[in-house]
Amino acid sequence: MAGRDDGNRHAETTGGADAAWAHELLDHLRPTGPGVDRIVDWLARTLDGTVCLADGTGTPLAGPPTPLGHGPAEDVRSGRIASAAWEDDGRYARLIGVALPASATAGVLTVSRTVPFDRRAADIVTRTATVLELVLRAQQTAVTGRRLARATADLRLAILQLLMVEDIVAARRVAAGLWPGLLDTDTASVYVVESAPADRDRLAEDCVAATRDEALVVRCPAMDGHVIVVTPDDTSAAALLTLCERIPDAYLGGSTRQSLASTATAYGQAVSALAVARFRPDHRAVYAERTHPERLMDPAALATWTTRVLRPLDALPHHTRAELLATTRLGLEFTAVNAAKVLGVSRNTVRARMERVENLLGTDFSDLTVRAAVHLALNTQVAFAEDHTDGAAAPAHLGDLLTGPALHTWARDLLSRLDTDGRDLRGTLRAWIAAGGNAERAAHLLGVHAQTVREHVRSAEPVLERQLLASGSDLYEVVLAHLATRDLDHPDLDGHHRPGAEQGHPDSSVHR
């Protein structure tokens, strides 16, 4: 039975009161509004009653449960009637249907109070039901949008991971559905943009907008503050650079242009350039801006040496070989955990693949000089696979590569920067490298405290403009400089290391 208007509550219908509740209700429609629970609470306070919003099964979505039994409630849920009202034992109730997103049955908004519903109260209930429908629809749209955004982000990451392991055909096939033409290129550059982790999502969205979906933008799965951008053309690269100029706290590192099959190498270059960008006032750096030791070596000798070092992998099936090379490249650049996140595999898989490469090459990756030499070979293999340089008649030993005058001059000039510090940074760094990057072992060799070793290594980073505590290209360049100046012995890559040796990592306190 419908409730009658109560003459004693006629004062509720004044214009000022009507304007007040209407404005309050409209506030709930703001994008940052309080949500369904708060709307139901507001309605209960406004009408001095009990309010419940239930779904099509009678399960409360907001407000305390209100027993409705069958009859009118079922009719409202099924849509046979839009609303109902009745009086029972001194309480007055109104039911009104509320459309629920993705539901075949309507929800029911129930308002119960001890006084009859006048026109004002009935109008508030009706208008509130409309607002609830709009808010629920907006929430569903937001949820769908977030799911779509997550799915899109996962798809972008999957494409990057396929590129990392040189599966270009599959990467293009996955990209073709949503971003036609994105990978219709043979070469690309990789950029890594760094910001505060809390700002990373907005930075990624800005990168997508700036490159107009013509670049592959991926939230790095290993580093919370990094956004990885694969730019197939100069236009999207220029747009990314312009964007970073407007973000004062962002750092940008870029690679040289590489083939799509060399995406892992390009990524390592971008991370290396990012380390340099941290020391520059404009917060930007590109890998090609710095002289690298491999450029000072005889190209033919370098190609022949690389071929000899990696020959044990040539007997493997192409896909297996590419997978092992790509994993080892990333495993030498980063920790096993971070390499696994980038590749989308477990860290045990990364370690198993690297141990297999160790066994095939007869090396021990716990030796930093070995890691630096193999890193050089892997990067050279990528470069000469593209250039097709023929060096069959050139020498094929690491010592021949490291004795050239240009490389010796570069190495001497680089390490001499450390001599300007009153502390023996150079001696500490040499001992730390010889100890495999382990501060405790280096401290024992030097007769100092381990913390002193760590402080000296950290102090050497800005002087050399290279990251040393994080394994990667920067550290290996410094290792090669020590080898070129004979401050460290050349590693044995002729199979004399014990195959299958347990892979060690530098001191966990410094190996990030």
Side-chain angles (χ1 to χ4, degrees), residues 4 19 64 83 85 103 105 110 130 181 186-187 241 265 271 323 413 431 461-462 466 509:
R4 297 172 298 170
S83 62
S103 176
T105 58
T110 304
T130 301
D186 294 326
T187 62
L241 292 171
T265 298
V271 173
E323 187 176 68
D413 291 346
E461 288 188 319
R466 285 161 173 82
S509 63

Side-chain angles (χ1 to χ4, degrees), residues 56-333:
T57 65
T59 302
L61 299 176
T66 302
L68 298 177
H70 298 284
E74 291 294 340
D75 292 337
V76 172
R77 291 192 190 103
S78 65
R80 285 190 292 270
I81 60 175
S83 62
W86 73 83
E87 176 187 356
D88 186 24
D89 290 334
R91 292 197 66 85
Y92 300 84
R94 289 187 71 88
L95 284 67
I96 188 168
V98 176
L100 301 178
S103 176
T105 58
V108 178
L109 177 65
T110 304
V111 183
S112 174
R113 65 181 196 166
T114 57
V115 296
F117 287 81
D118 60 7
R119 182 174 300 174
R120 170 184 178 273
D123 194 26
I124 291 176
V125 174
T126 302
R127 300 296 177 85
T128 302
T130 301
V131 169
L132 285 170
E133 288 181 345
L134 294 173
V135 171
L136 287 168
R137 191 179 307 163
Q139 289 178 347
Q140 180 64 28
T141 301
V143 169
T144 302
R146 286 193 294 269
R147 288 175 180 169
L148 180 60
R150 283 196 298 269
T152 303
D154 290 344
L155 190 59
R156 292 178 187 273
L157 176 58
I159 295 170
L160 177 66
Q161 290 169 340
L162 289 170
L163 292 174
M164 288 288 192
V165 296
E166 304 180 22
D167 197 344
I168 309 305
V169 173
R172 284 173 171 156
R173 186 179 298 122
V174 173
L178 286 180
W179 303 284
L182 176 64
L183 298 181
D184 289 349
T185 178
D186 294 326
T187 62
S189 300
V190 175
Y191 291 87
V192 177
V193 189
E194 181 181 52
S195 66
D199 300 331
R200 201 258 296 265
D201 287 346
R202 174 172 291 182
L203 176 62
E205 293 171 359
D206 290 343
C207 290
V208 171
T211 57
R212 299 181 180 180
D213 262 343
E214 295 177 356
L216 181 65
V217 180
V218 180
R219 293 167 176 81
C220 179
M223 304 299 291
D224 290 340
H226 287 188
V227 175
I228 303 169
V229 185
V230 181
T231 58
D233 56 59
D234 294 336
T235 301
S236 53
L240 184 65
L241 292 171
T242 301
L243 169 66
C244 291
E245 288 175 354
R246 302 197 302 266
I247 305 176
D249 297 328
Y251 296 90
L252 176 69
S255 75
T256 59
R257 183 162 288 277
Q258 300 280 351
S259 69
L260 288 181
S262 304
T263 300
T265 298
Y267 174 54
Q269 290 181 352
V271 173
S272 178
L274 183 64
V276 177
R278 295 191 185 99
F279 302 113
R280 293 195 168 181
D282 61 356
H283 295 180
R284 293 188 300 168
V286 177
Y287 187 78
E289 293 176 355
R290 197 169 78 194
T291 299
H292 298 280
E294 64 269 21
R295 298 181 182 178
L296 304 175
M297 299 176 185
D298 180 87
L302 183 57
T304 302
W305 172 79
T306 295
T307 300
R308 182 180 63 80
V309 169
L310 300 181
R311 184 171 293 126
L313 282 76
D314 291 345
L316 298 173
H318 174 75
H319 177 74
T320 302
R321 183 177 185 272
E323 187 176 68
L324 291 179
L325 290 175
T327 301
T328 303
R329 243 180 244 120
L330 286 177
L332 292 177
E333 288 282 351

Side-chain angles (χ1 to χ4, degrees), residues 25 34 221 259 301 335 382 390 420:
L25 185 58
S259 69
T335 64
V382 171
D390 182 11
T420 59

Side-chain angles (χ1 to χ4, degrees), residues 13-100:
T13 64
T14 61
D18 287 348
W21 73 259
H23 284 301
E24 291 175 6
L25 185 58
L26 286 174
D27 281 340
H28 294 308
L29 286 174
R30 296 180 184 275
T32 57
V36 172
D37 287 323
R38 296 286 294 276
I39 294 174
V40 168
D41 289 342
W42 170 84
L43 181 59
R45 292 193 309 272
T46 302
L47 297 185
D48 191 19
T50 301
V51 180
C52 176
L53 175 64
D55 64 14
T57 65
T59 302
L61 299 176
T66 302
L68 298 177
H70 298 284
E74 291 294 340
D75 292 337
V76 172
R77 291 192 190 103
S78 65
R80 285 190 292 270
I81 60 175
S83 62
W86 73 83
E87 176 187 356
D88 186 24
D89 290 334
R91 292 197 66 85
Y92 300 84
R94 289 187 71 88
L95 284 67
I96 188 168
V98 176
L100 301 178

